[in-house]
mmCIF file of all heavy atoms in Angstrom:
data_model
loop_
_atom_site.group_PDB
_atom_site.id
_atom_site.type_symbol
_atom_site.label_atom_id
_atom_site.label_comp_id
_atom_site.label_asym_id
_atom_site.label_seq_id
_atom_site.Cartn_x
_atom_site.Cartn_y
_atom_site.Cartn_z
ATOM 1 N N VAL A 68 27.945 51.918 -40.427
ATOM 2 C CA VAL A 68 29.327 52.388 -40.394
ATOM 3 C C VAL A 68 30.134 51.441 -41.279
ATOM 4 O O VAL A 68 30.214 50.242 -41.001
ATOM 5 C CB VAL A 68 29.899 52.379 -38.955
ATOM 6 C CG1 VAL A 68 31.346 52.841 -38.969
ATOM 7 C CG2 VAL A 68 29.066 53.244 -38.038
ATOM 8 N N TYR A 69 30.703 51.993 -42.333
ATOM 9 C CA TYR A 69 31.499 51.180 -43.255
ATOM 10 C C TYR A 69 32.538 52.077 -43.910
ATOM 11 O O TYR A 69 32.204 53.157 -44.404
ATOM 12 C CB TYR A 69 30.594 50.524 -44.305
ATOM 13 C CG TYR A 69 31.322 49.533 -45.174
ATOM 14 C CD1 TYR A 69 31.867 48.374 -44.639
ATOM 15 C CD2 TYR A 69 31.464 49.752 -46.533
ATOM 16 C CE1 TYR A 69 32.532 47.462 -45.429
ATOM 17 C CE2 TYR A 69 32.112 48.844 -47.338
ATOM 18 C CZ TYR A 69 32.660 47.701 -46.784
ATOM 19 O OH TYR A 69 33.318 46.803 -47.574
ATOM 20 N N GLU A 70 33.768 51.636 -43.879
ATOM 21 C CA GLU A 70 34.897 52.383 -44.443
ATOM 22 C C GLU A 70 34.924 53.819 -43.910
ATOM 23 O O GLU A 70 35.048 54.780 -44.667
ATOM 24 C CB GLU A 70 34.860 52.343 -45.970
ATOM 25 C CG GLU A 70 35.053 50.947 -46.526
ATOM 26 C CD GLU A 70 35.013 50.895 -48.044
ATOM 27 O OE1 GLU A 70 34.678 51.922 -48.684
ATOM 28 O OE2 GLU A 70 35.314 49.821 -48.589
ATOM 29 N N ASN A 71 34.758 53.949 -42.601
ATOM 30 C CA ASN A 71 34.802 55.230 -41.893
ATOM 31 C C ASN A 71 33.712 56.216 -42.318
ATOM 32 O O ASN A 71 33.840 57.414 -42.118
ATOM 33 C CB ASN A 71 36.178 55.887 -42.018
ATOM 34 C CG ASN A 71 37.232 55.076 -41.316
ATOM 35 O OD1 ASN A 71 36.969 54.496 -40.253
ATOM 36 N ND2 ASN A 71 38.418 55.018 -41.888
ATOM 37 N N ILE A 72 32.655 55.721 -42.934
ATOM 38 C CA ILE A 72 31.514 56.565 -43.292
ATOM 39 C C ILE A 72 30.332 56.128 -42.443
ATOM 40 O O ILE A 72 29.976 54.948 -42.409
ATOM 41 C CB ILE A 72 31.175 56.449 -44.798
ATOM 42 C CG1 ILE A 72 32.354 56.935 -45.627
ATOM 43 C CG2 ILE A 72 29.912 57.246 -45.115
ATOM 44 C CD1 ILE A 72 32.198 56.690 -47.111
ATOM 45 N N ASN A 73 29.727 57.087 -41.754
ATOM 46 C CA ASN A 73 28.600 56.817 -40.873
ATOM 47 C C ASN A 73 27.336 57.425 -41.485
ATOM 48 O O ASN A 73 27.285 58.622 -41.746
ATOM 49 C CB ASN A 73 28.887 57.434 -39.496
ATOM 50 C CG ASN A 73 27.859 57.057 -38.470
ATOM 51 O OD1 ASN A 73 26.842 56.460 -38.787
ATOM 52 N ND2 ASN A 73 28.124 57.414 -37.235
ATOM 53 N N VAL A 74 26.338 56.586 -41.715
ATOM 54 C CA VAL A 74 25.061 57.044 -42.260
ATOM 55 C C VAL A 74 23.972 56.638 -41.285
ATOM 56 O O VAL A 74 23.939 55.498 -40.818
ATOM 57 C CB VAL A 74 24.782 56.416 -43.644
ATOM 58 C CG1 VAL A 74 23.427 56.875 -44.180
ATOM 59 C CG2 VAL A 74 25.883 56.746 -44.627
ATOM 60 N N THR A 75 23.075 57.573 -40.970
ATOM 61 C CA THR A 75 21.980 57.287 -40.050
ATOM 62 C C THR A 75 20.659 57.715 -40.670
ATOM 63 O O THR A 75 20.551 58.800 -41.236
ATOM 64 C CB THR A 75 22.177 58.037 -38.707
ATOM 65 O OG1 THR A 75 23.404 57.614 -38.124
ATOM 66 C CG2 THR A 75 21.042 57.739 -37.741
ATOM 67 N N LEU A 76 19.674 56.847 -40.577
ATOM 68 C CA LEU A 76 18.305 57.159 -40.972
ATOM 69 C C LEU A 76 17.416 56.982 -39.754
ATOM 70 O O LEU A 76 17.706 56.170 -38.877
ATOM 71 C CB LEU A 76 17.815 56.225 -42.077
ATOM 72 C CG LEU A 76 18.354 56.460 -43.478
ATOM 73 C CD1 LEU A 76 17.765 55.430 -44.437
ATOM 74 C CD2 LEU A 76 18.026 57.851 -43.975
ATOM 75 N N THR A 77 16.311 57.720 -39.702
ATOM 76 C CA THR A 77 15.398 57.632 -38.570
ATOM 77 C C THR A 77 13.970 57.449 -39.054
ATOM 78 O O THR A 77 13.664 57.658 -40.230
ATOM 79 C CB THR A 77 15.475 58.902 -37.699
ATOM 80 O OG1 THR A 77 15.110 60.021 -38.504
ATOM 81 C CG2 THR A 77 16.858 59.106 -37.121
ATOM 82 N N GLY A 78 13.112 57.080 -38.117
ATOM 83 C CA GLY A 78 11.706 56.922 -38.437
ATOM 84 C C GLY A 78 10.938 56.444 -37.231
ATOM 85 O O GLY A 78 11.399 56.565 -36.091
ATOM 86 N N THR A 79 9.775 55.870 -37.495
ATOM 87 C CA THR A 79 8.931 55.330 -36.435
ATOM 88 C C THR A 79 8.747 53.834 -36.671
ATOM 89 O O THR A 79 8.949 53.345 -37.789
ATOM 90 C CB THR A 79 7.555 56.015 -36.406
ATOM 91 O OG1 THR A 79 6.927 55.829 -37.677
ATOM 92 C CG2 THR A 79 7.682 57.493 -36.105
#
Side-chain angles (χ1 to χ4, degrees):
V68 179
Y69 188 64
E70 295 180 352
N71 294 323
I72 298 172
N73 187 352
V74 178
T75 300
L76 285 180
T77 60
T79 58

